[in-house]
Amino acid sequence: MDAITNVLMEFFQWINNTITGNFGLTIVLFTLLLRLVCLPLDIRARKGQRDFSRKTAQIQPELDKLNKAYKNDPQQLQRKILELRKSVGLGMMPKGCFSQFLVYPLLIAFFAVFRSMAAQQTQQLAGIINEFGAESQQVATWFSENSFLWIKNIWMPDNLVSLNNVPVLRAIPLISGIFTNIVSDIVPAGTYLKGMFSDPATLETVQNALGQLTLSGGNGLFILPILSGAVQYFSLYVNQKMNPPAPVNPDDPQAASGQKMTKWMNIIFPALFVYFCLTSSSALAIYWITSSLIMLGTNFTINKVLDAVEAKKAA
């Protein structure tokens, strides 16, 4: 994982230094390139999902008959269902669906990358402060390179207020990460700054300067976390519209339970991503929202193209 993290960090820095000059734009550009590389996998996954939905709807009447005929014999019912699915070439999962699972390992990988880059960039800021002072033009340039739209520092969460030094909030595990500062607060910063400054007086001066920067207010407007939840909810909604589930038989308690679980997941997943973006760096939120929007657009376009191709064949 360290090797992957280092390679990605170097690639990000290369794009930033040679093309964009801003890490926020670098993340957007890199995500566009990544989704372009994954486009063949997305097309295959979309075809697999359409085929899966169509065949599921095709065998639904037979499934309903089997559920009634073998409702008192679960083992026989399961065997008959497997035979029916096999007869139409319907597997347990859509073809190509595993390509979509790459999204979440990538999210974990980028979490490690952006956490390392946050530490590296804060170290760079500390070095600039030590050499030129907290009020220098070099510090302003650093914030220009590490800001994005309304966010002052993309290596910290997009928040509106800075209340992380309130003892009551710091003691609550699920809340303490929400009200973070514009830069890493001086206690964690001291952990990786001690290796930079052997002189205790210099270390204290730099820590105090970083501490003063945290007093400048919030780091954003809470827009990215809210947008993340909205995009996640809309993506789930559009995906279900493009691949509508088969009608649920009221006599099948398992199907009804699955439908209820789907409704709950449509609420839980967006809420989780709102919290995730509230407590993680804005860099990760920018990557996830950009990737989700691109996937939403490509899936919608692929679906429309496949509809047109099938309609032409039918004609």
Side-chain angles (χ1 to χ4, degrees):
M1 182 61 74
D2 289 341
I4 296 175
T5 300
N6 291 334
V7 170
L8 286 175
M9 285 177 61
E10 290 181 5
F11 185 60
F12 269 108
Q13 290 171 337
W14 178 82
I15 294 178
N16 185 76
N17 295 335
T18 59
I19 301 177
T20 64
N22 179 274
F23 279 109
L25 293 176
T26 298
I27 294 169
V28 172
L29 177 59
F30 177 84
T31 308
L32 284 168
L33 295 174
L34 178 65
R35 295 316 314 172
L36 183 62
V37 171
C38 294
L39 184 59
L41 297 176
D42 293 337
I43 295 174
R44 185 170 184 271
R46 180 54 53 187
K47 288 181 177 179
Q49 288 174 350
R50 287 167 62 91
D51 184 65
F52 186 86
S53 298
R54 185 180 295 110
K55 288 180 178 178
T56 301
Q58 176 185 338
I59 66 172
Q60 189 60 46
E62 293 298 322
L63 284 175
D64 293 341
K65 293 178 182 179
L66 290 176
N67 284 319
K68 290 181 179 180
Y70 298 98
K71 62 181 179 180
N72 296 323
D73 190 351
Q75 292 183 349
Q76 183 73 350
L77 174 62
Q78 188 65 25
R79 187 174 68 82
K80 290 291 185 180
I81 289 176
L82 289 176
E83 290 176 357
L84 178 61
R85 297 175 71 93
K86 187 177 180 180
S87 67
V88 296
L90 183 61
M92 299 307 296
M93 298 288 287
K95 294 179 181 179
C97 67
F98 291 104
S99 64
Q100 301 298 299
F101 294 156
L102 292 173
V103 173
Y104 297 101
L106 282 172
L107 186 64
I108 296 172
F110 281 121
F111 179 82
V113 169
F114 294 145
R115 183 175 57 184
S116 297
M117 292 191 71
Q120 186 183 82
Q121 291 302 112
T122 305
Q123 286 178 318
Q124 184 187 72
L125 177 61
I128 292 172
I129 290 173
N130 179 53
E131 184 174 357
F132 301 103
E135 303 296 329
S136 64
Q137 179 59 41
Q138 286 79 0
V139 170
T141 301
W142 184 93
F143 273 103
S144 174
E145 184 175 315
N146 291 276
S147 63
F148 185 68
L149 299 177
W150 62 88
I151 304 164
K152 299 176 184 177
N153 179 8
I154 66 169
W155 310 114
M156 299 298 289
D158 176 7
N159 59 13
L160 183 61
V161 292
S162 178
L163 301 175
N164 203 32
N165 292 323
V166 179
V168 175
L169 294 177
R170 293 183 69 93
I172 304 176
L174 293 177
I175 296 180
S176 60
I178 295 178
F179 301 105
T180 48
N181 299 308
I182 188 173
V183 294
S184 298
D185 51 4
I186 57 176
V187 176
T191 304
Y192 50 77
L193 292 181
K194 288 180 180 178
M196 294 181 61
F197 307 105
S198 56
D199 179 25
T202 303
L203 176 62
E204 183 179 1
T205 300
V206 173
Q207 284 181 307
N208 289 337
L210 288 173
Q212 289 299 315
L213 286 175
T214 68
L215 300 177
S216 59
N219 189 48
L221 300 171
F222 288 131
I223 293 177
L224 287 182
I226 296 172
L227 185 60
S228 173
V231 169
Q232 187 68 20
Y233 178 83
F234 189 65
S235 297
L236 292 171
Y237 174 80
V238 171
N239 189 61
Q240 289 173 6
K241 285 293 184 181
M242 290 191 296
N243 299 280
V248 175
N249 182 4
D251 297 327
D252 184 2
Q254 186 176 0
S257 176
Q259 188 181 52
K260 186 181 294 185
M261 178 62 70
T262 299
K263 290 181 179 179
W264 273 107
M265 295 305 290
N266 289 346
I267 298 173
I268 293 173
F269 263 103
L272 284 176
F273 277 96
V274 169
Y275 176 78
F276 191 55
C277 291
L278 279 172
T279 55
S280 302
S281 70
S282 298
L284 191 65
I286 293 169
Y287 159 73
W288 178 251
I289 292 171
T290 304
S291 180
S292 298
L293 288 173
I294 294 172
M295 288 182 65
L296 180 62
T298 54
N299 286 340
F300 182 81
T301 303
I302 291 169
N303 207 63
K304 288 297 183 182
V305 171
L306 292 176
D307 283 343
V309 171
E310 291 176 0
K312 186 176 181 180
K313 286 182 178 179

